[in-house]
Amino acid sequence: MDDLDRPNLTEQDLYEYLYLDLDLPVTRRSVKEAVKRREIQPTRLGNGNYFSKRDGLDWVKSRKQSGVYRAPEANAFR
């Protein structure tokens, strides 16, 4: 099994891997909410939920937005 695919990280460890090791601008809360909304699927082992490094990288990749961002007109200055 590849090191990226081993589910050996807790939610906190996944955050630390993405934020501290890879220096990605993610917050602890964004990872927590992604897990809660099942955007990051856990692997259930024993009594805990575990994540692989690839789970976190796939989630970051899924957050990419295509095109140019435009604010809604309701929020635009007049």
Side-chain angles (χ1 to χ4, degrees), residues 10-64:
T10 63
E11 191 176 306
Q12 179 67 31
D13 293 337
L14 180 63
Y15 162 71
E16 291 173 2
Y17 169 70
L18 294 173
Y19 183 70
L20 299 176
D21 295 346
L22 298 182
D23 200 32
L24 293 173
V26 297
T27 62
R28 174 73 183 95
R29 184 174 180 173
S30 66
V31 173
K32 180 180 179 180
E33 290 297 318
V35 170
K36 196 186 298 186
R37 289 190 304 264
R38 295 294 193 215
E39 293 173 8
I40 304 174
Q41 291 284 331
T43 300
R44 186 80 175 163
L45 297 173
N47 288 336
N49 290 327
Y50 294 95
F51 306 91
S52 68
K53 292 177 180 178
R54 190 174 311 276
D55 292 337
L57 295 174
D58 289 344
W59 172 69
V60 169
K61 186 192 290 186
S62 75
R63 304 303 298 158
K64 186 172 184 172

